[in-house]
Amino acid sequence: MKSMRKIVMAAGALALFAAPALAAEDVMAGYYGNTAISTGGLGAAEIHTHYRADHTFDLTGSMMGMSRNYKGTWSIDGTGKLCRIFVGDLPPNTVNPVCSLMAPHKVGDAWTVTSKDGSTRDVTLKAGVQ
Protein backbone atom coordinates (compact mmCIF):
# COMPACT_ATOMS: atom_id res chain seq x y z
CA MET A 1 0.00 0.00 0.00
CA LYS A 2 2.81 2.40 0.92
CA SER A 3 4.65 1.65 -2.33
CA MET A 4 1.49 2.39 -4.34
CA ARG A 5 1.10 5.73 -2.53
CA LYS A 6 4.75 6.57 -3.32
CA ILE A 7 4.19 5.78 -7.00
CA VAL A 8 1.08 7.97 -7.16
CA MET A 9 2.87 10.84 -5.37
CA ALA A 10 5.88 10.53 -7.67
CA ALA A 11 3.65 10.55 -10.76
CA GLY A 12 1.86 13.64 -9.47
CA ALA A 13 5.14 15.44 -8.82
CA LEU A 14 6.42 14.48 -12.27
CA ALA A 15 3.27 15.87 -13.87
CA LEU A 16 3.73 19.19 -12.02
CA PHE A 17 7.28 19.55 -13.33
CA ALA A 18 6.56 18.25 -16.84
CA ALA A 19 3.64 20.63 -17.58
CA PRO A 20 5.75 23.85 -17.54
CA ALA A 21 8.41 22.14 -19.66
CA LEU A 22 5.85 21.21 -22.31
CA ALA A 23 4.39 24.74 -22.31
CA ALA A 24 7.88 26.20 -22.70
CA GLU A 25 8.38 24.12 -25.85
CA ASP A 26 5.25 25.52 -27.57
CA VAL A 27 6.71 27.92 -30.13
CA MET A 28 3.26 29.50 -30.58
CA ALA A 29 2.47 30.10 -26.86
CA GLY A 30 3.26 33.84 -27.02
CA TYR A 31 0.84 34.32 -29.90
CA TYR A 32 -2.29 32.95 -28.16
CA GLY A 33 -4.71 35.74 -27.28
CA ASN A 34 -2.50 38.33 -28.99
CA THR A 35 -2.17 39.88 -32.45
CA ALA A 36 0.73 39.60 -34.89
CA ILE A 37 0.61 42.75 -37.03
CA SER A 38 2.65 42.72 -40.23
CA THR A 39 3.24 45.56 -42.68
CA GLY A 40 5.27 46.10 -45.82
CA GLY A 41 6.10 43.80 -48.68
CA LEU A 42 4.48 43.76 -52.07
CA GLY A 43 1.12 45.51 -51.96
CA ALA A 44 1.95 46.95 -48.51
CA ALA A 45 -1.15 45.43 -46.88
CA GLU A 46 -1.43 45.52 -43.09
CA ILE A 47 -2.27 42.06 -41.76
CA HIS A 48 -3.59 41.25 -38.28
CA THR A 49 -3.23 37.54 -37.43
CA HIS A 50 -4.60 35.68 -34.40
CA TYR A 51 -3.41 32.18 -33.51
CA ARG A 52 -5.27 30.04 -31.00
CA ALA A 53 -4.14 27.03 -28.94
CA ASP A 54 -6.83 24.89 -30.63
CA HIS A 55 -4.76 25.16 -33.85
CA THR A 56 -7.06 27.62 -35.62
CA PHE A 57 -6.18 31.08 -36.84
CA ASP A 58 -7.77 34.04 -38.52
CA LEU A 59 -6.34 37.06 -40.25
CA THR A 60 -7.57 40.34 -41.63
CA GLY A 61 -5.69 41.99 -44.47
CA SER A 62 -6.29 45.70 -45.10
CA MET A 63 -5.09 47.60 -48.14
CA MET A 64 -6.27 50.76 -49.91
CA GLY A 65 -9.33 51.10 -47.66
CA MET A 66 -10.52 47.52 -48.16
CA SER A 67 -10.35 44.59 -45.73
CA ARG A 68 -10.58 40.83 -46.26
CA ASN A 69 -10.91 38.14 -43.63
CA TYR A 70 -9.45 34.64 -43.87
CA LYS A 71 -9.38 31.67 -41.52
CA GLY A 72 -7.97 28.19 -41.24
CA THR A 73 -5.93 25.76 -39.21
CA TRP A 74 -2.25 25.66 -38.34
CA SER A 75 0.32 23.07 -37.30
CA ILE A 76 4.06 22.86 -36.76
CA ASP A 77 5.62 20.34 -39.14
CA GLY A 78 8.53 18.00 -38.41
CA THR A 79 11.08 20.63 -39.48
CA GLY A 80 9.71 23.32 -37.14
CA LYS A 81 7.84 25.24 -39.82
CA LEU A 82 4.43 26.76 -39.22
CA CYS A 83 2.03 25.38 -41.82
CA ARG A 84 -1.30 27.12 -42.35
CA ILE A 85 -4.21 25.67 -44.30
CA PHE A 86 -6.80 28.23 -45.30
CA VAL A 87 -10.46 27.22 -45.23
CA GLY A 88 -12.67 28.93 -47.81
CA ASP A 89 -11.14 31.85 -49.69
CA LEU A 90 -7.38 32.06 -50.04
CA PRO A 91 -5.41 35.30 -49.80
CA PRO A 92 -4.01 36.44 -53.18
CA ASN A 93 -1.00 34.46 -54.42
CA THR A 94 -1.39 31.87 -51.65
CA VAL A 95 -1.47 28.08 -51.93
CA ASN A 96 -2.51 25.48 -49.35
CA PRO A 97 -0.67 24.70 -47.23
CA VAL A 98 1.64 27.68 -46.81
CA CYS A 99 4.60 26.85 -44.57
CA SER A 100 7.28 29.15 -43.16
CA LEU A 101 9.85 29.19 -40.39
CA MET A 102 8.42 30.22 -37.04
CA ALA A 103 10.20 31.43 -33.94
CA PRO A 104 8.79 31.97 -30.46
CA HIS A 105 7.98 35.60 -29.61
CA LYS A 106 6.45 37.51 -26.74
CA VAL A 107 4.26 40.62 -26.66
CA GLY A 108 6.30 43.66 -27.66
CA ASP A 109 8.73 41.76 -29.92
CA ALA A 110 9.32 43.14 -33.42
CA TRP A 111 11.08 41.33 -36.26
CA THR A 112 11.40 41.24 -40.05
CA VAL A 113 10.34 38.34 -42.30
CA THR A 114 11.77 37.86 -45.79
CA SER A 115 9.58 36.08 -48.36
CA LYS A 116 10.81 33.72 -51.07
CA ASP A 117 10.44 36.59 -53.57
CA GLY A 118 12.85 38.72 -51.49
CA SER A 119 10.23 41.15 -50.18
CA THR A 120 10.23 41.89 -46.45
CA ARG A 121 7.48 42.46 -43.91
CA ASP A 122 7.86 43.98 -40.46
CA VAL A 123 6.00 42.10 -37.73
CA THR A 124 5.10 43.19 -34.18
CA LEU A 125 3.36 41.05 -31.57
CA LYS A 126 0.80 43.22 -29.76
CA ALA A 127 -1.17 42.41 -26.61
CA GLY A 128 -4.77 41.32 -27.03
CA VAL A 129 -6.94 40.85 -30.09
CA GLN A 130 -6.73 43.86 -32.36
Side-chain angles (χ1 to χ4, degrees):
M1 192 68 149
K2 281 186 178 182
S3 63
M4 179 61 98
R5 190 175 330 175
K6 284 182 182 180
I7 291 172
V8 170
M9 288 176 62
L14 180 61
L16 286 174
F17 290 111
L22 290 174
E25 293 175 12
D26 184 355
V27 71
M28 299 299 291
Y31 294 84
Y32 306 149
N34 299 310
T35 304
I37 300 175
S38 63
T39 58
L42 299 175
E46 181 171 289
I47 300 172
H48 291 227
T49 307
H50 311 106
Y51 294 99
R52 289 177 282 286
D54 68 358
H55 288 253
T56 61
F57 74 94
D58 66 78
L59 65 85
T60 300
S62 301
M63 184 173 86
M64 297 172 38
M66 298 185 307
S67 291
R68 292 288 313 259
N69 298 313
Y70 303 95
K71 64 182 178 178
T73 61
W74 66 268
S75 63
I76 302 294
D77 74 7
T79 65
K81 289 184 178 178
L82 169 70
C83 294
R84 297 181 295 179
I85 297 176
F86 289 88
V87 176
D89 292 337
L90 294 172
N93 303 316
T94 301
V95 296
N96 268 332
V98 59
C99 299
S100 57
L101 293 175
M102 187 55 122
H105 288 284
K106 62 186 183 308
V107 169
D109 284 355
W111 64 99
T112 300
V113 176
T114 303
S115 298
K116 290 179 185 178
D117 66 9
S119 63
T120 60
R121 293 189 62 80
D122 295 320
V123 185
T124 304
L125 190 59
K126 302 266 184 162
V129 176
Q130 302 180 24

